[in-house]
Amino acid sequence: MAETTRRGFVGAGAALVGATAVPAVARTAEAIAVRQTAGDLRFATLPALSWQADSGDGPDAVTLDPTTSFQEILGFGAAFTEASAWLISRMAPAARAQLMHELFSADGLGINVTRCCIGSSDYATAMFSYDEGAPDPTLARFSIDRDRAYVLPELLTAQHINPDLFILASPWSPPGWMKNGGSMLGGNIKPANFAIYAQYLVKFLEGYAQAGVPINAITTQNETDTDQAGRMPASAWAQEYEVAFVGKHLGPAIEKAGLDTKIWLLDHNFNLWGRVFNTLEDLGVFKYAEGVAWHPYVGAAEAMTRIHNAYPTKSAYWTEGGFELAAGKGQIAFAATPGPMTERAGAAEAVPKLDDMAAIAQSALGATHALRNWVRCMIDWNVVLDETGHPNIGPFDLKGTLTIDSTSHRVTARGPNYWAIKHLNQIAPRGATVIESSGRIDRLAHVAFIDADGRKGVMLTNSGAARTVRIRNGGRMARIALPASSVTNLSWT
């Protein structure tokens, strides 16, 4: 196996190593576009910068190397749960149309990857599966009709606005009758029902496709390593269960149905990287699993680099959780090794309460750290919730990417991850590639990209005091003033 080691973020500006060499890119043009979030500014257009003669390396410099590339970007977005779809459906038609345009259009937030739920998650208006009642081994009762009320109409609208929208679907639990204990609340599936459950998931994929919403990727289970103590729809999947199910049932069933839906493993925390390592040793799993879905609630983003180094053909995807959770427990700047996070129930305590701009910087820092550890997409959790974190049938008290007031049915807040997603989608569209950026500057994080048209850019997150830094690229440099607690995009052709 070729050497593919990558250190990730060992310091605030550590270099990426072990990447793929690509041909040099043509000399950059003069103008450098600037978008900045700082103080009262949110993704504001600032005067363009110009290139100057390079004055060499130094303690204030970030150096780009477009000839060294890493992973290709899939996109950035947030999850479209039943809770989110229900809230959006209650808005006045004009306000709903305006919000959907804001969320999914290229001139808005630009969401190009989202996640929906197979049956109910904890963020739903009620607990349900697509085959309720007594055991139904022929799946004669199977129906996705419930989703036709809220979820499918809004997903169809999203796809109309953004035809390239990539949709991941994840189940929180099989139907209760497939499980030990007979309930969607915790427990685990009976192995005797693996083949039936694989058909259940295929029927979901076929039903959504027939409704005009093809699913691009699927995970076998949201958060495989917990049953959430029976407090919400959940199901524990032992490693040997996931191995058998993917390699012998789900993979072959999707293949036989002629679907091109990708299978992603785990859909759980960074600290479970050892499980992923061993799961991918199975030849059946290796054949059918295209990548690994990760959550940031426990462990550190370096887990994705460990798996990449062992299995470089398997992609890494962030499928749930606030981006700030990858920045390191209780820290604004990166640590050499981010500390372990608390479980999701305590995630609100894992990051200190910050003012709005500092919280935005925290989200951008976490995203930068994940991107420097091979992640290809990042999906925040519920795209919208109300001011109390509802609808919610589970035990976790979280906020949406945006907030819709439960009385006025209007958007009242855009959270920190909203602005991180906006910065990322502007500078790293689908098909862009992470390129080398190096330079150790205290409390400054950076990640650079080149897109399919050769346009380059860098996102700079300054969590320290106001400063001026230099961007060095191909024998030229430009100076940029960075306010304290700021996120800045620079891009040029």
Side-chain angles (χ1 to χ4, degrees):
M1 181 181 298
E3 176 60 37
T4 55
T5 303
R6 179 177 180 180
R7 290 194 301 269
F9 235 131
V10 181
L16 307 176
V17 299
T20 304
V22 297
V25 179
R27 196 171 187 80
T28 57
E30 292 295 327
I32 305 170
V34 183
R35 302 300 291 260
Q36 190 171 86
T37 297
D40 294 332
L41 300 177
R42 295 294 177 268
F43 200 65
T45 300
L46 300 188
L49 303 177
S50 297
W51 293 106
Q52 307 167 20
D54 191 359
S55 59
D57 199 3
D60 65 341
V62 174
T63 302
L64 307 188
D65 179 6
T67 69
T68 301
S69 66
F70 301 93
Q71 74 274 23
E72 183 178 300
I73 296 300
L74 177 64
F76 306 91
F80 218 81
T81 57
E82 189 195 59
S84 293
W86 180 80
L87 279 172
I88 292 172
S89 74
R90 299 178 73 213
M91 301 177 76
R96 181 168 68 248
Q98 182 178 358
L99 174 59
M100 292 296 286
H101 182 84
E102 176 186 347
L103 291 174
F104 293 99
S105 67
D107 60 350
L109 188 57
I111 288 176
N112 54 17
V113 59
T114 191
R115 184 188 191 207
C116 66
C117 308
I118 303 175
S120 68
S121 69
D122 46 332
Y123 282 86
T125 59
M127 185 172 68
F128 67 93
S129 74
Y130 300 126
D131 195 329
E132 293 287 284
D136 179 22
T138 65
L139 301 176
R141 286 191 309 259
F142 182 93
S143 174
I144 62 167
D145 282 351
R146 181 187 174 96
D147 290 355
R148 300 184 196 279
Y150 311 120
V151 178
L152 282 167
E154 303 304 342
L155 284 176
L156 283 165
T157 299
Q159 284 192 319
H160 177 74
I161 297 168
N162 181 2
D164 294 325
L165 181 66
F166 185 103
I167 303 176
L168 163 70
S170 301
W172 267 244
S173 174
W177 58 266
M178 293 188 187
K179 299 169 68 179
N180 292 306
S183 172
M184 291 179 67
L185 296 172
N188 60 284
I189 191 170
K190 298 175 182 178
N193 288 325
F194 281 175
I196 300 171
Y197 189 46
Q199 290 306 312
Y200 174 95
L201 295 177
V202 166
K203 287 177 77 69
F204 163 80
L205 296 173
E206 291 176 334
Y208 261 54
Q210 291 165 8
V213 182
I215 299 297
N216 303 101
I218 189 173
T219 61
T220 56
Q221 169 64 44
N222 174 70
E223 299 186 339
T224 53
D225 203 49
T226 180
D227 68 359
Q228 298 293 358
R231 299 172 295 170
M232 57 178 272
S235 185
W237 278 76
Q239 180 180 331
E240 61 268 26
Y241 280 19
E242 187 178 26
V243 167
F245 183 64
V246 171
K248 297 179 180 178
H249 298 282
L250 183 61
I254 289 176
E255 185 176 56
K256 184 177 180 181
L259 299 168
D260 59 2
T261 306
K262 302 177 187 300
I263 298 174
W264 297 349
L265 300 173
L266 188 68
D267 215 2
H268 209 176
N269 290 321
F270 290 139
N271 67 321
L272 298 173
W273 65 271
R275 168 177 169 149
V276 175
F277 186 96
N278 292 324
T279 297
L280 283 169
E281 289 181 333
D282 181 89
L283 294 180
V285 174
F286 189 89
K287 174 183 177 180
Y288 290 113
E290 187 272 337
V292 183
W294 298 98
H295 296 188
Y297 303 112
V298 184
E302 283 80 1
M304 295 185 290
T305 291
R306 294 187 184 103
I307 296 303
H308 174 84
N309 289 346
Y311 299 101
T313 63
K314 303 303 180 185
S315 296
Y317 304 98
W318 174 302
T319 55
E320 183 186 304
F323 302 169
E324 73 280 356
L325 296 177
K329 184 176 180 181
Q331 299 184 40
I332 304 298
F334 283 113
T337 303
M341 305 305 296
T342 60
E343 289 285 355
R344 185 164 71 175
E349 289 74 47
V351 176
K353 185 175 181 180
L354 305 169
D355 65 270
D356 187 44
M357 190 54 241
I360 294 170
Q362 183 89 1
S363 291
L365 283 169
T368 299
H369 190 43
L371 286 160
R372 296 183 72 97
N373 279 281
W374 294 101
V375 81
R376 294 190 59 207
C377 84
M378 298 186 73
I379 306 174
D380 194 14
W381 194 198
N382 300 269
V383 66
V384 297
L385 290 173
D386 72 15
E387 70 279 7
T388 65
H390 285 79
N392 181 354
I393 62 171
F396 301 118
D397 181 19
L398 302 173
K399 298 291 186 181
T401 311
L402 297 87
T403 300
I404 292 179
D405 183 78
S406 59
T407 302
S408 69
H409 310 303
R410 294 183 178 274
V411 174
T412 56
R414 292 165 177 81
N417 285 324
Y418 178 97
W419 299 106
I421 292 167
K422 194 166 182 68
H423 273 270
L424 289 162
N425 277 332
Q426 186 266 345
I427 203 166
R430 179 170 302 159
T433 302
V434 178
I435 60 172
E436 177 77 87
S437 63
S438 59
R440 293 179 178 271
I441 302 176
D442 185 47
R443 299 176 71 84
L444 178 74
H446 49 81
V447 60
F449 308 90
I450 184 170
D451 70 18
D453 296 323
R455 186 170 182 82
K456 294 179 283 294
V458 58
M459 185 175 80
L460 303 164
T461 303
N462 179 28
S463 62
R467 70 184 79 198
T468 297
V469 301
R470 292 179 299 133
I471 304 299
R472 304 176 65 231
N473 176 59
R476 294 185 177 186
M477 72 160 196
R479 298 184 186 275
I480 176 69
L482 304 177
S485 295
S486 62
V487 184
T488 304
N489 284 8
L490 305 180
S491 56
W492 60 94
T493 56

